[in-house]
Structures are given as C-alpha cells and as structure tokens.
Amino acid sequence: MSENQKEWSFAEIQAIYHQPILDLVFQAATVHRQYNNPNQIQVCTLVSIKTGGCTEDCAYCSQSVKYQTDIEVHKLMDVETVLTLADEAKQNGSTRLCLGAAWRELRDNKDFDKILDIISKVKERGLEVCCTLGMLTEEQAKRLQEAGLDAYNHNLDTSPEYYSEIITTRTYEDRLRTLENVQKAGISLCCGGIIGLGESDSDRIRMLQILANRNPYPDSVPVNALVPVSGTPLENQPRVQIWDILRMVATARIIMPAAKVRLSAGRATMSTVEQAICFLAGANSIFAGEKLLTTPNKSQIEDQELFQLLGLEPLPQLIETHSH
Ligand code: SAM
Ligand code: DTB
Ligand code: SF4
C-alpha cells in the first residue's frame, strides 16, 4: 500500500463525516493543503457523444428508454464533430475532454472502432481523454488504453444496500467488475456517486468507504448532486442542500487525500460563495461548458468570473499529450 492509502472502517468515516461542519471543513482544508495546490482547479469538458436510448433504468437519468423525458436523442457523433468540440474545449481552458455515451455496456462493433479513432485523435489535439461508456470487459479496457485513453469514469453512485432502489438492470458487482478491468488495464479511474436520491447518511458513508478502500483509490471522485429531471422517478426529489455537498466533498478529501474531487452535477445552481467553500474543503476539479450531458451547467463567463474572483487557476495538464 502506498503511504496515502489506508484501510478505513465505517466508524472512522462516520466520525469524520458527522463532526461539526466547521471542524470538518478545517480538517479537509488542512489535508488538502498537504497534498495539493488549493488554488489549482482541474477543468474538464463533457461531450455527450451518444445521447439517450439507454436500456438501463437508473432512476435519476434523463437518458433511459424507460422514462419519458424531453431530450435530444442522437446516435454516435462523427469523429469530425467531436474534434471541433475538442478544439473549442481546449480554447476555453479545459485540459481534459470527457466523452459520455448512454450505453449499458460497450459492444465490440463499428462504434467501438470509431471511439478508438476519436480517442487517438483527441489526444493528438493535446487534451487528456476520459470516457464513460458503460460496462467494459478486460479486453475492451486494454484496447481503450492502447488507443491512448487516460481515464475512465464509472460511478458507484450510492451504497450497495441502496443500489437496487435506484437501478435494477445491473448489480453493484457488475459495476465493481468494470472498475477492476479499468484499473488492471492501467487506465486512471474516475469513480464517485450522486447524492439526493433519497439515500441516508449511512449510504453516503458506505459508498465513500468502498471508494477509499480500493487499492489504489480512484484518481478522481465526482460528487454529483441530483439534477431532478422531469419524467424520471426522481423528478420530485427535494434539492440537495449545500451542507450535504460540503460534507461529501470534505470527507472524500480527507480519506482520499491525493484524488481529484470533482464538483460535478448540481454546480449550476450553486452560488459563488457555496462553490468557494467547497474549494476550501478540497474540491479541485469541475466540469466547464454550458451543458453537462443533457442538463445545463455554468456558462463560460460565469466560470471566468469565478476563477478571477477567487484567484484560482486551471490545473495544467497532468498527462503529457502531443500537441499540434
Ligand atoms: N452510461 C454511463 C454510465 O452510467 O456509467 C455513463 C453516463 S452516466 C450519465 C454518468 C453519471 O452521471 C452517472 O453515474 C451519475 O452519477 C451521473 N448522473 C446522471 N444523471 C444525473 C442527474 N440527473 N443528476 C446528477 N447526476 C447524474
Ligand atoms: C459524472 O460523475 N458526472 C458527469 C460525468 N460523470 C459523466 C455526468 C453528469 C450528468 C448530469 C445529468 C445530465 O446532464 O444529463
Ligand atoms: Fe444509461 Fe448511464 Fe443513464 Fe444509467 S446513467 S440510464 S447507464 S446513461
């Protein structure tokens, strides 16, 4: 085990998570400064390369075929379209492009070949590439790695105990198997979850425990706050409180000290002050751009103002890529 990796018990994480919020933020900010430059924020841009028509039934998701939602469905994008979006993302200060596809699992077909082509060409443009394409086999992970893929996103979303309340078309074990395959192939793992699904604090702590006890723990941990989507079973869930987001971010920072902790879905409705306190508590990565996958995000101008106001700078690229 590396020096920043240890085995966390549920009780230990529970004690961290439930301390008075100012103590929690102070502890997280202290750890953050020991491991990371607190003024550097990783900036990633999402592109939904294949939208809607997904056969899974994730209760929060606008892209499942099981629910009637108002989204623009499209098949896998052309390589050229993705490259144009990659150039725009780079110009707007992103160092990582995250390509999302609404698939249950990756299949060995022409679309896969196209994705491999997209990965190598986006890399040539001088960006890190992350994909989130559903479940992967060991061989598929290897092919993605060979094409130059830097990172793979695959979230646990919630605790194993609460999982079947949210998703019935796959199991927690399915999810864990893909995480294994990604890490075995030497791809950087991006894995986190969503809060606001009706889960308890214990469910959140359990998920954090499973993430932190992976060896190695994920390189990046997205913390999503539910964006309720009309037509999904969770459309009427109450808005997640900032204090809950803050506790998740701070606890993730303390138990996974060197990870990127990403303020992901839900940032669009956060104020500047709310985001600032999350950065203080250890968040150090965001999604930039007007849209996440199907829901709105902060505008470029809003984020420019945020960075200027708080004296933040974009994190330089972590992984060497060939730039034109
Ligand atoms: N289909 C792939 C999968 O499920 O792994 C990749 C895309 S999926 C949309 C990526 C993640 O986005 C989900 O695991 C979930 O954590 C998050 N997400 C999706 N819809 C969301 C919503 N309405 N609010 C907050 N987070 C959401
Ligand atoms: C992650 O954890 N959050 C991103 C990314 N990984 C793929 C997706 C957020 C999606 C929010 C809902 C939407 O825009 O459809
Ligand atoms: Fe499909 Fe991913 Fe949405 Fe679940 S979260 S329905 S797997 S696109």
Side-chain angles (χ1 to χ4, degrees), residues 24-48:
L24 174 59
V25 170
F26 183 76
Q27 187 187 354
T30 307
V31 171
H32 191 32
R33 270 139 218 273
Q34 283 162 4
Y35 285 84
N36 309 290
N37 175 341
N39 299 312
Q40 279 187 339
I41 306 290
Q42 181 189 42
V43 183
C44 314
T45 291
L46 271 171
V47 177
S48 186

PDB file of all heavy atoms in Angstrom, residues 24-48:
ATOM      1  N   LEU A  24     -15.034  19.946  10.283  1.00  0.00           N
ATOM      2  CA  LEU A  24     -14.878  19.093   9.102  1.00  0.00           C
ATOM      3  C   LEU A  24     -14.186  19.865   7.969  1.00  0.00           C
ATOM      4  O   LEU A  24     -13.225  19.377   7.353  1.00  0.00           O
ATOM      5  CB  LEU A  24     -16.252  18.583   8.650  1.00  0.00           C
ATOM      6  CG  LEU A  24     -16.304  17.796   7.346  1.00  0.00           C
ATOM      7  CD1 LEU A  24     -15.428  16.549   7.405  1.00  0.00           C
ATOM      8  CD2 LEU A  24     -17.747  17.384   7.011  1.00  0.00           C
ATOM      9  N   VAL A  25     -14.657  21.070   7.710  1.00  0.00           N
ATOM     10  CA  VAL A  25     -14.069  21.875   6.629  1.00  0.00           C
ATOM     11  C   VAL A  25     -12.615  22.206   6.960  1.00  0.00           C
ATOM     12  O   VAL A  25     -11.736  22.133   6.099  1.00  0.00           O
ATOM     13  CB  VAL A  25     -14.903  23.164   6.384  1.00  0.00           C
ATOM     14  CG1 VAL A  25     -14.175  24.112   5.437  1.00  0.00           C
ATOM     15  CG2 VAL A  25     -16.273  22.801   5.821  1.00  0.00           C
ATOM     16  N   PHE A  26     -12.347  22.511   8.219  1.00  0.00           N
ATOM     17  CA  PHE A  26     -10.970  22.849   8.619  1.00  0.00           C
ATOM     18  C   PHE A  26     -10.044  21.653   8.426  1.00  0.00           C
ATOM     19  O   PHE A  26      -8.952  21.773   7.879  1.00  0.00           O
ATOM     20  CB  PHE A  26     -10.950  23.333  10.081  1.00  0.00           C
ATOM     21  CG  PHE A  26      -9.595  23.769  10.523  1.00  0.00           C
ATOM     22  CD1 PHE A  26      -9.072  24.997  10.124  1.00  0.00           C
ATOM     23  CD2 PHE A  26      -8.799  22.942  11.321  1.00  0.00           C
ATOM     24  CE1 PHE A  26      -7.798  25.400  10.512  1.00  0.00           C
ATOM     25  CE2 PHE A  26      -7.527  23.338  11.712  1.00  0.00           C
ATOM     26  CZ  PHE A  26      -7.026  24.571  11.314  1.00  0.00           C
ATOM     27  N   GLN A  27     -10.514  20.478   8.846  1.00  0.00           N
ATOM     28  CA  GLN A  27      -9.686  19.263   8.701  1.00  0.00           C
ATOM     29  C   GLN A  27      -9.423  18.969   7.219  1.00  0.00           C
ATOM     30  O   GLN A  27      -8.298  18.667   6.817  1.00  0.00           O
ATOM     31  CB  GLN A  27     -10.393  18.063   9.362  1.00  0.00           C
ATOM     32  CG  GLN A  27      -9.512  16.814   9.387  1.00  0.00           C
ATOM     33  CD  GLN A  27     -10.242  15.560   9.880  1.00  0.00           C
ATOM     34  OE1 GLN A  27     -11.392  15.610  10.316  1.00  0.00           O
ATOM     35  NE2 GLN A  27      -9.564  14.435   9.808  1.00  0.00           N
ATOM     36  N   ALA A  28     -10.478  19.090   6.412  1.00  0.00           N
ATOM     37  CA  ALA A  28     -10.333  18.798   4.981  1.00  0.00           C
ATOM     38  C   ALA A  28      -9.402  19.810   4.313  1.00  0.00           C
ATOM     39  O   ALA A  28      -8.536  19.446   3.507  1.00  0.00           O
ATOM     40  CB  ALA A  28     -11.706  18.815   4.310  1.00  0.00           C
ATOM     41  N   ALA A  29      -9.551  21.082   4.681  1.00  0.00           N
ATOM     42  CA  ALA A  29      -8.712  22.127   4.077  1.00  0.00           C
ATOM     43  C   ALA A  29      -7.249  21.891   4.446  1.00  0.00           C
ATOM     44  O   ALA A  29      -6.340  22.098   3.629  1.00  0.00           O
ATOM     45  CB  ALA A  29      -9.173  23.508   4.554  1.00  0.00           C
ATOM     46  N   THR A  30      -7.011  21.419   5.665  1.00  0.00           N
ATOM     47  CA  THR A  30      -5.638  21.156   6.128  1.00  0.00           C
ATOM     48  C   THR A  30      -5.023  20.009   5.324  1.00  0.00           C
ATOM     49  O   THR A  30      -3.911  20.115   4.813  1.00  0.00           O
ATOM     50  CB  THR A  30      -5.656  20.813   7.645  1.00  0.00           C
ATOM     51  OG1 THR A  30      -6.353  21.853   8.318  1.00  0.00           O
ATOM     52  CG2 THR A  30      -4.254  20.684   8.194  1.00  0.00           C
ATOM     53  N   VAL A  31      -5.778  18.920   5.171  1.00  0.00           N
ATOM     54  CA  VAL A  31      -5.296  17.781   4.381  1.00  0.00           C
ATOM     55  C   VAL A  31      -5.054  18.228   2.942  1.00  0.00           C
ATOM     56  O   VAL A  31      -4.023  17.907   2.331  1.00  0.00           O
ATOM     57  CB  VAL A  31      -6.319  16.609   4.416  1.00  0.00           C
ATOM     58  CG1 VAL A  31      -5.946  15.521   3.423  1.00  0.00           C
ATOM     59  CG2 VAL A  31      -6.437  16.039   5.815  1.00  0.00           C
ATOM     60  N   HIS A  32      -6.009  18.979   2.404  1.00  0.00           N
ATOM     61  CA  HIS A  32      -5.922  19.435   1.006  1.00  0.00           C
ATOM     62  C   HIS A  32      -4.601  20.159   0.744  1.00  0.00           C
ATOM     63  O   HIS A  32      -3.925  19.918  -0.250  1.00  0.00           O
ATOM     64  CB  HIS A  32      -7.119  20.352   0.729  1.00  0.00           C
ATOM     65  CG  HIS A  32      -7.312  20.692  -0.716  1.00  0.00           C
ATOM     66  ND1 HIS A  32      -6.991  19.830  -1.744  1.00  0.00           N
ATOM     67  CD2 HIS A  32      -7.810  21.816  -1.315  1.00  0.00           C
ATOM     68  CE1 HIS A  32      -7.268  20.404  -2.905  1.00  0.00           C
ATOM     69  NE2 HIS A  32      -7.758  21.606  -2.672  1.00  0.00           N
ATOM     70  N   ARG A  33      -4.221  21.050   1.673  1.00  0.00           N
ATOM     71  CA  ARG A  33      -3.002  21.835   1.507  1.00  0.00           C
ATOM     72  C   ARG A  33      -1.735  20.989   1.619  1.00  0.00           C
ATOM     73  O   ARG A  33      -0.685  21.373   1.111  1.00  0.00           O
ATOM     74  CB  ARG A  33      -2.952  22.962   2.561  1.00  0.00           C
ATOM     75  CG  ARG A  33      -3.603  24.210   2.082  1.00  0.00           C
ATOM     76  CD  ARG A  33      -4.440  24.909   3.124  1.00  0.00           C
ATOM     77  NE  ARG A  33      -5.615  25.437   2.443  1.00  0.00           N
ATOM     78  CZ  ARG A  33      -5.641  26.621   1.858  1.00  0.00           C
ATOM     79  NH1 ARG A  33      -4.602  27.428   1.926  1.00  0.00           N
ATOM     80  NH2 ARG A  33      -6.713  27.013   1.202  1.00  0.00           N
ATOM     81  N   GLN A  34      -1.834  19.859   2.326  1.00  0.00           N
ATOM     82  CA  GLN A  34      -0.652  18.989   2.430  1.00  0.00           C
ATOM     83  C   GLN A  34      -0.406  18.234   1.131  1.00  0.00           C
ATOM     84  O   GLN A  34       0.713  17.867   0.830  1.00  0.00           O
ATOM     85  CB  GLN A  34      -0.852  17.971   3.565  1.00  0.00           C
ATOM     86  CG  GLN A  34      -0.647  18.589   4.941  1.00  0.00           C
ATOM     87  CD  GLN A  34      -1.262  17.725   6.049  1.00  0.00           C
ATOM     88  OE1 GLN A  34      -1.784  16.631   5.804  1.00  0.00           O
ATOM     89  NE2 GLN A  34      -1.211  18.229   7.267  1.00  0.00           N
ATOM     90  N   TYR A  35      -1.457  18.000   0.378  1.00  0.00           N
ATOM     91  CA  TYR A  35      -1.330  17.139  -0.813  1.00  0.00           C
ATOM     92  C   TYR A  35      -1.450  17.875  -2.134  1.00  0.00           C
ATOM     93  O   TYR A  35      -0.988  17.394  -3.155  1.00  0.00           O
ATOM     94  CB  TYR A  35      -2.393  16.039  -0.766  1.00  0.00           C
ATOM     95  CG  TYR A  35      -2.079  14.951   0.220  1.00  0.00           C
ATOM     96  CD1 TYR A  35      -2.412  15.085   1.570  1.00  0.00           C
ATOM     97  CD2 TYR A  35      -1.431  13.786  -0.189  1.00  0.00           C
ATOM     98  CE1 TYR A  35      -2.116  14.088   2.482  1.00  0.00           C
ATOM     99  CE2 TYR A  35      -1.134  12.779   0.717  1.00  0.00           C
ATOM    100  CZ  TYR A  35      -1.483  12.928   2.049  1.00  0.00           C
ATOM    101  OH  TYR A  35      -1.186  11.940   2.937  1.00  0.00           O
ATOM    102  N   ASN A  36      -2.150  19.016  -2.136  1.00  0.00           N
ATOM    103  CA  ASN A  36      -2.479  19.663  -3.412  1.00  0.00           C
ATOM    104  C   ASN A  36      -2.296  21.168  -3.300  1.00  0.00           C
ATOM    105  O   ASN A  36      -2.293  21.725  -2.217  1.00  0.00           O
ATOM    106  CB  ASN A  36      -3.957  19.392  -3.763  1.00  0.00           C
ATOM    107  CG  ASN A  36      -4.317  17.920  -3.680  1.00  0.00           C
ATOM    108  OD1 ASN A  36      -3.878  17.123  -4.502  1.00  0.00           O
ATOM    109  ND2 ASN A  36      -5.090  17.543  -2.669  1.00  0.00           N
ATOM    110  N   ASN A  37      -2.167  21.809  -4.476  1.00  0.00           N
ATOM    111  CA  ASN A  37      -2.183  23.271  -4.508  1.00  0.00           C
ATOM    112  C   ASN A  37      -3.659  23.697  -4.500  1.00  0.00           C
ATOM    113  O   ASN A  37      -4.375  23.439  -5.461  1.00  0.00           O
ATOM    114  CB  ASN A  37      -1.470  23.754  -5.774  1.00  0.00           C
ATOM    115  CG  ASN A  37      -1.550  25.261  -5.933  1.00  0.00           C
ATOM    116  OD1 ASN A  37      -2.399  25.909  -5.318  1.00  0.00           O
ATOM    117  ND2 ASN A  37      -0.671  25.812  -6.758  1.00  0.00           N
ATOM    118  N   PRO A  38      -4.106  24.354  -3.408  1.00  0.00           N
ATOM    119  CA  PRO A  38      -5.548  24.622  -3.273  1.00  0.00           C
ATOM    120  C   PRO A  38      -6.094  25.656  -4.257  1.00  0.00           C
ATOM    121  O   PRO A  38      -7.313  25.802  -4.372  1.00  0.00           O
ATOM    122  CB  PRO A  38      -5.678  25.125  -1.833  1.00  0.00           C
ATOM    123  CG  PRO A  38      -4.338  25.664  -1.491  1.00  0.00           C
ATOM    124  CD  PRO A  38      -3.338  24.846  -2.253  1.00  0.00           C
ATOM    125  N   ASN A  39      -5.206  26.348  -4.961  1.00  0.00           N
ATOM    126  CA  ASN A  39      -5.691  27.355  -5.916  1.00  0.00           C
ATOM    127  C   ASN A  39      -5.749  26.837  -7.348  1.00  0.00           C
ATOM    128  O   ASN A  39      -6.077  27.567  -8.272  1.00  0.00           O
ATOM    129  CB  ASN A  39      -4.827  28.615  -5.842  1.00  0.00           C
ATOM    130  CG  ASN A  39      -4.893  29.221  -4.451  1.00  0.00           C
ATOM    131  OD1 ASN A  39      -5.980  29.383  -3.906  1.00  0.00           O
ATOM    132  ND2 ASN A  39      -3.746  29.512  -3.868  1.00  0.00           N
ATOM    133  N   GLN A  40      -5.374  25.569  -7.522  1.00  0.00           N
ATOM    134  CA  GLN A  40      -5.418  24.983  -8.868  1.00  0.00           C
ATOM    135  C   GLN A  40      -6.618  24.065  -9.014  1.00  0.00           C
ATOM    136  O   GLN A  40      -6.811  23.144  -8.218  1.00  0.00           O
ATOM    137  CB  GLN A  40      -4.151  24.168  -9.121  1.00  0.00           C
ATOM    138  CG  GLN A  40      -2.976  25.030  -9.515  1.00  0.00           C
ATOM    139  CD  GLN A  40      -1.777  24.189  -9.929  1.00  0.00           C
ATOM    140  OE1 GLN A  40      -1.670  23.021  -9.574  1.00  0.00           O
ATOM    141  NE2 GLN A  40      -0.878  24.813 -10.659  1.00  0.00           N
ATOM    142  N   ILE A  41      -7.409  24.330 -10.042  1.00  0.00           N
ATOM    143  CA  ILE A  41      -8.632  23.548 -10.269  1.00  0.00           C
ATOM    144  C   ILE A  41      -8.548  22.895 -11.652  1.00  0.00           C
ATOM    145  O   ILE A  41      -8.284  23.567 -12.657  1.00  0.00           O
ATOM    146  CB  ILE A  41      -9.883  24.470 -10.231  1.00  0.00           C
ATOM    147  CG1 ILE A  41      -9.945  25.289  -8.924  1.00  0.00           C
ATOM    148  CG2 ILE A  41     -11.165  23.663 -10.463  1.00  0.00           C
ATOM    149  CD1 ILE A  41     -10.256  24.516  -7.666  1.00  0.00           C
ATOM    150  N   GLN A  42      -8.773  21.598 -11.678  1.00  0.00           N
ATOM    151  CA  GLN A  42      -8.788  20.894 -12.966  1.00  0.00           C
ATOM    152  C   GLN A  42     -10.082  21.263 -13.711  1.00  0.00           C
ATOM    153  O   GLN A  42     -11.162  21.230 -13.128  1.00  0.00           O
ATOM    154  CB  GLN A  42      -8.757  19.389 -12.705  1.00  0.00           C
ATOM    155  CG  GLN A  42      -8.743  18.554 -13.980  1.00  0.00           C
ATOM    156  CD  GLN A  42      -8.934  17.065 -13.685  1.00  0.00           C
ATOM    157  OE1 GLN A  42      -9.753  16.679 -12.859  1.00  0.00           O
ATOM    158  NE2 GLN A  42      -8.159  16.237 -14.360  1.00  0.00           N
ATOM    159  N   VAL A  43      -9.944  21.593 -14.991  1.00  0.00           N
ATOM    160  CA  VAL A  43     -11.119  21.973 -15.780  1.00  0.00           C
ATOM    161  C   VAL A  43     -11.344  20.932 -16.886  1.00  0.00           C
ATOM    162  O   VAL A  43     -10.472  20.708 -17.721  1.00  0.00           O
ATOM    163  CB  VAL A  43     -10.958  23.383 -16.391  1.00  0.00           C
ATOM    164  CG1 VAL A  43     -12.222  23.786 -17.147  1.00  0.00           C
ATOM    165  CG2 VAL A  43     -10.637  24.407 -15.310  1.00  0.00           C
ATOM    166  N   CYS A  44     -12.513  20.297 -16.847  1.00  0.00           N
ATOM    167  CA  CYS A  44     -12.851  19.236 -17.805  1.00  0.00           C
ATOM    168  C   CYS A  44     -14.086  19.666 -18.597  1.00  0.00           C
ATOM    169  O   CYS A  44     -14.953  20.351 -18.054  1.00  0.00           O
ATOM    170  CB  CYS A  44     -13.211  17.953 -17.083  1.00  0.00           C
ATOM    171  SG  CYS A  44     -12.095  17.493 -15.753  1.00  0.00           S
ATOM    172  N   THR A  45     -14.160  19.238 -19.845  1.00  0.00           N
ATOM    173  CA  THR A  45     -15.380  19.492 -20.630  1.00  0.00           C
ATOM    174  C   THR A  45     -16.027  18.171 -21.000  1.00  0.00           C
ATOM    175  O   THR A  45     -15.341  17.238 -21.418  1.00  0.00           O
ATOM    176  CB  THR A  45     -15.048  20.291 -21.909  1.00  0.00           C
ATOM    177  OG1 THR A  45     -14.664  21.615 -21.528  1.00  0.00           O
ATOM    178  CG2 THR A  45     -16.249  20.395 -22.841  1.00  0.00           C
ATOM    179  N   LEU A  46     -17.348  18.112 -20.818  1.00  0.00           N
ATOM    180  CA  LEU A  46     -18.107  16.900 -21.162  1.00  0.00           C
ATOM    181  C   LEU A  46     -18.663  17.005 -22.574  1.00  0.00           C
ATOM    182  O   LEU A  46     -19.124  18.077 -22.982  1.00  0.00           O
ATOM    183  CB  LEU A  46     -19.309  16.780 -20.233  1.00  0.00           C
ATOM    184  CG  LEU A  46     -19.168  16.040 -18.911  1.00  0.00           C
ATOM    185  CD1 LEU A  46     -20.437  16.257 -18.082  1.00  0.00           C
ATOM    186  CD2 LEU A  46     -18.939  14.557 -19.124  1.00  0.00           C
ATOM    187  N   VAL A  47     -18.635  15.896 -23.282  1.00  0.00           N
ATOM    188  CA  VAL A  47     -19.332  15.828 -24.570  1.00  0.00           C
ATOM    189  C   VAL A  47     -20.180  14.563 -24.567  1.00  0.00           C
ATOM    190  O   VAL A  47     -19.659  13.464 -24.304  1.00  0.00           O
ATOM    191  CB  VAL A  47     -18.342  15.751 -25.755  1.00  0.00           C
ATOM    192  CG1 VAL A  47     -19.094  15.601 -27.071  1.00  0.00           C
ATOM    193  CG2 VAL A  47     -17.429  16.965 -25.802  1.00  0.00           C
ATOM    194  N   SER A  48     -21.464  14.729 -24.817  1.00  0.00           N
ATOM    195  CA  SER A  48     -22.329  13.551 -24.892  1.00  0.00           C
ATOM    196  C   SER A  48     -22.250  13.035 -26.326  1.00  0.00           C
ATOM    197  O   SER A  48     -22.905  13.541 -27.226  1.00  0.00           O
ATOM    198  CB  SER A  48     -23.763  13.922 -24.517  1.00  0.00           C
ATOM    199  OG  SER A  48     -24.533  12.746 -24.461  1.00  0.00           O
TER     200      SER A  48
END
